[in-house]
Amino acid sequence: RLRRASTTTRRGTPRVRAVGGGDTPKLDDRTQVLLALFWLRVYPTYQVLGFFFGLHKTNARHTARAVLALVRDGHRVGV
């Protein structure tokens, strides 16, 4: 929800496409939280994490970091 409301990209540059203009996420919210918890507990490489969740290693890293940022900043994760 917070990513969709942003007017900038992850890199801080202004969005070129409209909010929600990209692909739909491959993982639902619960699975994204599970991915982050799995990464915290087992601490695999992002390539291994992506293998278990059917993602490319870059998407696994972005997903884990996004969920952990929400938790770190004290936002409620709607699970």
Side-chain angles (χ1 to χ4, degrees):
R1 181 174 51 98
L2 292 174
R3 268 187 277 142
R4 288 185 293 231
S6 176
T7 58
T8 59
T9 63
R10 287 186 191 118
R11 297 177 186 165
T13 58
R15 285 189 178 275
V16 174
R17 295 181 183 174
V19 175
D23 291 335
T24 57
K26 192 169 184 180
L27 304 177
D28 63 354
D29 292 341
R30 289 179 186 220
T31 309
Q32 290 181 19
V33 172
L34 178 64
L35 179 142
L37 292 174
F38 181 76
W39 182 79
L40 286 170
R41 179 70 176 162
V42 180
Y43 206 65
T45 63
Y46 290 115
Q47 188 158 357
V48 171
L49 187 65
F51 171 77
F52 281 117
F53 287 90
L55 299 173
H56 186 270
K57 63 182 178 181
T58 306
N59 290 334
R61 180 173 56 95
H62 287 310
T63 301
R65 287 185 176 184
V67 171
L68 294 175
L70 288 173
V71 173
R72 181 191 65 232
D73 295 341
H75 297 284
R76 255 183 89 89
V77 180
V79 187

